[in-house]
Structure formats: structure tokens, C-alpha cells
Amino acid sequence: MAVEPRFTSADISFADAIAVTQALLNDLEQGNVDAFGATVRELVRSENGARGFFVTYLSDDRPLADHPTPTLIAALQTSPAIVAPLLIKNLVMSTAMAMTHRRNQNEGLLQGSERVRSRTTQLIQALQLPQVQAEAQSLLGTIATKTGDYQAFLERWGYDLEQQQAMQQTLIALGFAQ
């Protein structure tokens, strides 16, 4: 019998998705995994749900997210159009923020950004989604030409040239090429 989540992705807010994910991680820590796959599948069916899931899951202090399970991978693979751009954004945002925290000599925040980058890298490698490759190439193209699908994203967050170069290096190190 499949366990159904207690919400629908269509009406979940970003804040509610964070709360659901926190509760889900607490349950997981207690060994209650029954609803994990179904809940993650439902969360990633919407932008708000997926954003809330990733911001909570990737930054959680507990080691639960250090080793993605087959259940998690299968759940994330159900919504590649939503998951792929969010993974690429999480990867490069954490790369850029690690640089910012290093510049500011803030070791605690630096470790958090590096944890998010490491966890995101693991998910990208485990998922093997063609959509992730396409998003990475799109971002690399935008950085190279200063135009494209990711230009508004780069401008909104004010990433400088050095941060954008670090983003490129991170993507290329994962095997993404222009």
C-alpha cells in the first residue's frame, strides 16, 4: 500500500514546503521512511514544493542528506523539468556563496555552502538527467556570452566575474561543457 502525502503540490507554498521537508527529515531521522518517497515526489511536482524541499534538504545540518538513497533519486527523477534547473542553480549559488564567505572569512557559513555544493553534486551525479546537462550548458553559454536564459538569474543575485568563473569551473569539473 502506497503512503500518500497530506498535501498537494498544486497548493503548497514555499514556506509550507520547507515545513513539510523539515518534518520529513525528522521522520527519516527516527527511522520512519514510509512516506518519504511519496512526499518527495509530490513536493517536486511544483516549483514551490521543489524549492522548499531543496533549500531544506541540502542545507540540513544532519548527515541524512550526505548519502542520497535510491528512493530519493527515484522520486526526484519524476519531475526533471523542475528538478534540473533547481539543481544547477543550487550548485552554482553554493559555489558563489562559498567564495563570498571565504572572502569574508566566515568559516561557519563557508562550511554550509560547501555542504550544499557537495550534496547537490552528489544528486546531479546520481540522477543522470539529460535535462541537468542541458541546464548546465545553458548557464555556461550565458556566462560566456552575457546573454541567455540565465542572464536574469546572474544579474538578480549580482554575481561578479570571479564568482561566475568559479561557477564555470564547477560545471566543467562535473563534465558539463559548452
Side-chain angles (χ1 to χ4, degrees), residues 87-116:
L87 284 174
I88 291 300
K89 288 176 182 177
N90 274 293
L91 179 66
V92 299
M93 290 175 88
S94 59
T95 297
M97 290 312 299
M99 181 172 284
T100 297
H101 300 319
R102 197 172 288 112
R103 289 174 182 164
N104 296 335
Q105 300 178 355
N106 190 326
E107 189 62 32
L109 292 177
L110 172 61
Q111 288 176 358
S113 290
E114 288 178 344
R115 178 175 46 241
V116 170

Side-chain angles (χ1 to χ4, degrees), residues 139-159:
L139 178 54
L140 285 167
T142 297
I143 292 171
T145 65
K146 307 296 184 228
T147 63
D149 294 339
Y150 279 92
Q151 190 59 35
F153 165 77
L154 295 172
E155 289 174 3
R156 177 174 54 246
W157 295 106
Y159 296 123

Side-chain angles (χ1 to χ4, degrees), residues 23 27 38 48 50 54 62 74 83 96 120 138:
D27 286 350
N48 279 340
F54 282 125
R62 296 168 288 195
V83 167
T120 305
S138 179

